[in-house]
């Protein structure tokens, strides 16, 4: 390498280090600066000669992560030092003992938590990504800073992801959307969460990402003018009431607009609330709530509010500490405008998340819910020994869920994820109460255990010493805490019944003079058509296999063992079902465009012209999914090593089936208009058309056979021109 290049890079490294010190959120003490300088020197020396895929010196990465930790999150000197060293144990000659000796036990513990797990085997029954994620979360028991630095690390990786090959971009972006963005959301890092989502969407759906980005840029001038005039009006109105505040306008994120388009099946032009106004007022802690509602009152004096869109997170903060009033009002030009009302303290907590939460907590604000969430997370992690995939799926479910607030009979308020059930509430109160639940009263009425709770419900749990969880309870709850506790109890219960069943088998075999050996046990397993000896013991211990059934087995075993088992165990010759694969679909897989056997996944019904990928399932071989499939993100995130590239190469002669669900306002002659449009399309054949009307509304199913995705898109576009059709969704 030329000396000139070395000098330029060295100068750039020093400049980045100085920036890191300048942007530090906290005023650094002399000892803090020495610690960060020491960590910086170790990182530069350790990563010397290493380069990233971008071609930059590797040390730029830990410095960038440390900048995010310092500037966007506002963490302490220990966190900054740990961020600088987060890759040295994995990627360099430094050991964990070296880090502990040089930097102390706290930095060593955090770096240990951040070190990637590289020695796991790719067990076919688990997802490597899921197992890594679970082990990463377990470090929360040591220090929550591990997770925060990990999120910062992921953010910088996403900012530089363009240097990665496409298949790796898809895997990393899917994993980010699936886990890291929700985790940032839960910890309160909203700005980072938004950037992670947008960067991920750029990889997973570049077409829609660019479509939305271009639309926002094209309308930027008009939007800025609207925000400015609305903000000026509000500013003057609040100034008259002597409320000191700043008013900011911002576009909603690309990903949030994308989610609305997908959820409502609408175009970008039909998304109206593409921006929000934020009012940040100055206040003492005593008057925060009073001023928030005063600002609300002033705004609604001038603009009509939408009562269904009021969100009061001041009276009941979110579990990550977020506090604000959100209202949606009808602004000038009949446009809906979301207004967020926060104090300067609330704003800092919303922007900086965990770090600001603890800054204000130590200043006397002890009522935030992030501690409760972290404690619940610790409990779930410590009590979860099940499948990693199940764990991550349940954990993720609780990360992004909107919250509801319900009351105990004494008037205490409890927050739960949206769609939580009465049984979830019972386990939220206490594990022992959950386990002994025999009934639930909601607003004075007895309801089933799986009754979904709503905001404002008053919930009373009825318990009994005789009540205990059963296997159905797993389906009655959605929270990780409740699922973990129920599974733990069921495992204990099963182990107890297995031990009891083993003793019963031993005793009964002795009574009928049958030896307890592999042959007799295998005979019994086959007789009852079970999978294992554990299943046998469990069913006997729980009396599913009773005395009568046992006696029938003994008769068969003693008198006609050979003939009986010949008949019993002869496999039935069932006809092999025809393949569901439609051979006219021409798909090739992998980099070498190989032709392989496959089936089309029923969850998304991919069609020629759509971007697809292959997924190697455990029991059904190669399954082909659309890249827009609702399961695509989860599959890429958890099973990246089972994903294989797939392409259509010659669908010209193929036909495929598609099912459209059509809904809207019923008009006379609607079905006739639909059939006329379809008949006007060459190569489109109607298989089924079925409509039902209720009042003035209708919903119908249209099954067609056609050539490719372009034909389908054009057909849908033409059908939408019919007066009354509001929505068309492909099933």
């Amino acid at each position: 390498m030329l000396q000139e290049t070395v000098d330029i890079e060295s100068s750039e490294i020093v400049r980045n280090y100085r920036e890191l010190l300048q942007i530090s959120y906290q005023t650094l003490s002399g000892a803090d600066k020495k610690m960060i300088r020491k960590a910086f020197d170790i990182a530069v020396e350790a990563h010397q000669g290493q380069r990233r895929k971008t071609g930059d010196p590797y040390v730029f990465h830990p410095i960038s992560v440390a900048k995010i930790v310092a500037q966007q999150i506002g963490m302490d000197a220990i966190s900054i030092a740990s961020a600088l060293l987060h890759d040295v144990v994995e990627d360099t000659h430094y050991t964990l003992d070296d880090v502990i000796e040089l930097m102390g036990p706290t930095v060593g513990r955090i770096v240990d938590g951040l070190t990637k797990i590289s020695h796991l085997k790719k067990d076919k029954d688990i997802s490597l990504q899921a197992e890594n994620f679970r082990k990463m979360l377990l470090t929360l028991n040591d220090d929550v800073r591990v997770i925060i630095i990990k999120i910062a690390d992921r953010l910088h990786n996403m900012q530089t992801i363009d240097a990665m090959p496409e298949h790796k971009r898809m895997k990393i972006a899917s994993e980010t959307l699936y886990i890291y963005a929700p985790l940032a959301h839960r910890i309160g890092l909203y700005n980072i969460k938004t950037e992670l989502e947008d960067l991920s969407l750029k990889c997973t759906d570049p077409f829609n990402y660019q479509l939305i980005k271009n639309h926002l840029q094209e309308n930027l001038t008009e939007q800025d003018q609207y925000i400015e005039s609305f903000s000026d009006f509000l500013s003057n109105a609040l100034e008259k009431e002597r409320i000191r505040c700043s008013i900011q306008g911002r576009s909603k994120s690309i990903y949030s607009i994308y989610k609305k388009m997908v959820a409502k099946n609408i175009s970008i032009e039909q998304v109206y609330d593409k921006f929000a106004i934020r009012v940040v007022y100055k206040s003492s802690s005593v008057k925060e709530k009073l001023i928030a509602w005063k600002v609300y009152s002033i705004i609604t004096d001038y603009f009509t509010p939408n009562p269904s869109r009021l969100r009061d997170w001041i009276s009941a903060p979110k579990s990550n500490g977020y506090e604000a009033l959100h209202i949606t009002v009808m602004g000038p030009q009949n446009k809906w405008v979301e207004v967020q009302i926060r104090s300067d303290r609330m704003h800092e907590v919303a922007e900086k998340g965990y770090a600001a939460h603890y800054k204000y907590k130590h200043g006397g604000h002890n009522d935030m819910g992030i501690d409760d969430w972290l404690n619940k997370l610790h409990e779930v992690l410590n009590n979860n020994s099940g499948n990693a995939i199940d764990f991550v799926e349940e954990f993720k479910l609780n990360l992004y869920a909107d919250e509801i607030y319900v009351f105990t009979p004494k008037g205490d308020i409890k927050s739960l994820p949206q769609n939580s059930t009465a049984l979830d509430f019972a386990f939220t109160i206490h594990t022992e109460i959950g386990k002994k639940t025999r009934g639930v009263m909601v607003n004075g009425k007895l309801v089933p255990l799986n009754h979904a709770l709503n905001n404002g419900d008053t919930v009373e749990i009825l318990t009994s010493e005789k009540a205990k969880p059963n296997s159905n309870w797993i389906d009655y709850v959605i929270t990780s805490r409740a699922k973990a506790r129920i599974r733990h109890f069921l495992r204990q219960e099963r182990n107890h019944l297995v031990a009891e069943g083993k003793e019963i088998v031993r005793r009964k075999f002795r009574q009928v003079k049958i030896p307890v050996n592999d042959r007799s046990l295998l005979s019994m397993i086959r007789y009852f058509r079970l999978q294992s000896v554990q299943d046998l013991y469990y069913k006997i211990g729980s009396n599913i296999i009773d005395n009568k059934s046992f006696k029938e087995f003994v008769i068969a075993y003693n008198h006609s063992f050979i003939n009986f088992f010949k008949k019993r165990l002869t496999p039935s010759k069932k006809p092999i079902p025809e393949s569901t694969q439609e051979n006219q679909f021409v798909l090739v897989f992998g980099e070498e465009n190989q032709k392989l056997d496959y089936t089309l996944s029923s969850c998304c019904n991919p069609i020629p012209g759509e971007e697809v990928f292959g997924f190697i399932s455990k029991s059904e071989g190669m399954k082909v999914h659309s890249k827009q499939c609702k399961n695509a993100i989860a599959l890429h995130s958890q099973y990246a090593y089972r994903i294989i590239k797939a392409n259509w190469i010659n669908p010209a002669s193929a036909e495929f089936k598609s099912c459209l669900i059509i809904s809207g306002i019923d008009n006379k002659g609607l079905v006739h208009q639909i059939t006329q449009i379809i008949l006007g399309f060459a190569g489109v054949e109607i298989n089924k058309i079925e409509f039902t009307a209720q009042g003035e509304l209708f919903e119908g199913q249209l099954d067609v056979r056609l050539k490719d995705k372009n034909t389908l898109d054009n057909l849908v576009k033409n059908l939408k021109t019919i007066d009354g059709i509001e929505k068309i969704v492909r099933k």
Side-chain angles (χ1 to χ4, degrees), residues 98-110:
D98 293 334
V99 174
I100 293 171
E101 183 181 346
L102 291 166
M103 300 299 302
T106 304
V107 172
R109 183 177 68 242
I110 296 173

Side-chain angles (χ1 to χ4, degrees), residues 335-577:
K335 291 184 178 179
W336 287 112
V337 182
E338 181 184 292
V339 184
Q340 301 169 359
I341 304 169
R342 308 172 179 169
S343 70
D344 46 6
R345 177 192 67 80
M346 297 174 194
H347 181 64
E348 190 171 7
V349 170
E351 296 290 301
K352 295 289 197 297
Y354 174 89
H357 160 77
Y358 273 90
K359 171 187 171 184
Y360 285 106
K361 175 187 172 183
H362 295 148
H365 288 268
N366 296 312
D367 56 343
M368 299 182 187
I370 195 168
D371 290 321
D372 289 339
W373 178 74
L374 289 171
N375 289 335
K376 288 175 185 175
L377 178 56
H378 288 160
E379 186 178 359
V380 171
L381 290 166
N382 289 332
N383 289 285
N384 190 291
S385 57
N387 179 274
I389 297 295
D390 292 340
F391 165 75
V392 173
E393 189 63 41
E394 291 160 16
F395 179 81
K396 178 185 175 292
L397 189 67
N398 287 264
L399 283 176
Y400 245 158
D402 290 333
E403 292 171 313
I404 59 171
Y405 299 90
V406 297
F407 296 91
T408 68
K410 293 182 179 179
D412 296 330
I413 192 167
K414 299 288 181 183
S415 70
L416 290 163
Q418 196 170 50
N419 300 320
S420 291
T421 65
L423 193 56
D424 280 309
F425 176 84
F427 278 94
T428 298
I429 298 298
H430 196 280
T431 299
E432 290 304 312
I433 290 176
K435 283 160 55 176
K436 295 176 182 177
T437 300
R438 70 173 180 86
V440 182
M441 302 278 285
V442 174
N443 303 325
K445 293 182 179 179
L446 194 64
V447 299
L449 297 184
N450 61 349
H451 173 81
L453 300 176
N454 296 306
N455 257 327
D457 282 346
T458 298
V459 188
E460 181 181 358
I461 305 299
L462 309 176
T463 61
S464 168
E465 290 300 320
K466 294 181 180 179
K468 63 180 180 180
N470 60 59
S471 57
N472 294 328
W473 281 23
I474 290 291
D475 298 325
Y476 291 174
V477 295
I478 70 160
T479 58
S480 297
R481 175 192 175 95
K483 283 183 182 290
R485 287 307 196 184
I486 293 167
R487 284 200 176 105
H488 180 69
F489 176 86
L490 293 176
R491 278 196 301 272
Q492 286 186 322
E493 183 85 351
R494 182 180 177 87
N495 290 341
H496 172 74
L497 290 172
V498 165
E500 197 169 303
K502 185 176 182 180
E503 178 57 29
I504 292 172
V505 168
R506 188 189 63 78
R507 187 175 66 249
K508 287 190 173 183
F509 270 29
R510 190 174 63 227
Q511 289 172 354
V512 295
K513 295 182 172 54
I514 293 177
V516 182
N517 54 30
D518 289 346
R519 178 181 173 184
S520 59
L521 289 174
L522 183 60
S523 299
M524 197 171 189
I525 290 167
R526 287 176 173 173
Y527 179 84
F528 290 110
R529 297 184 180 179
L530 303 174
Q531 297 296 317
S532 68
V533 71
Q534 296 292 313
D535 290 343
L536 174 66
Y537 291 153
Y538 171 71
K539 288 185 178 290
I540 290 176
S542 55
N543 206 36
I544 295 172
I545 298 176
D546 55 16
N547 283 331
K548 181 183 177 183
S549 301
F550 181 80
K551 288 176 181 176
E552 289 172 353
F553 161 74
V554 171
I555 293 169
Y557 184 88
N558 286 332
H559 293 96
S560 54
F561 175 85
I562 295 175
N563 290 333
F564 175 82
F565 278 107
K566 276 184 179 178
K567 182 179 178 182
R568 185 88 176 190
L569 300 178
T570 300
S572 59
K573 294 183 178 179
K574 295 180 180 178
I576 299 172

Side-chain angles (χ1 to χ4, degrees), residues 635-678:
L635 292 175
H636 276 87
S637 171
Q638 297 190 56
Y639 300 103
Y641 57 94
R642 292 198 204 165
I643 302 293
I644 188 168
K645 182 181 175 183
N647 289 305
W648 303 102
I649 60 169
N650 185 22
S653 62
E655 284 189 338
F656 68 92
K657 297 176 184 177
S658 185
C659 174
L660 300 176
I661 304 299
I662 305 175
S663 58
I665 300 170
D666 194 14
N667 286 325
K668 189 175 180 180
L670 185 76
V671 175
H672 176 71
Q673 292 179 67
I674 290 172
T675 54
Q676 287 302 306
I677 284 180
I678 295 173

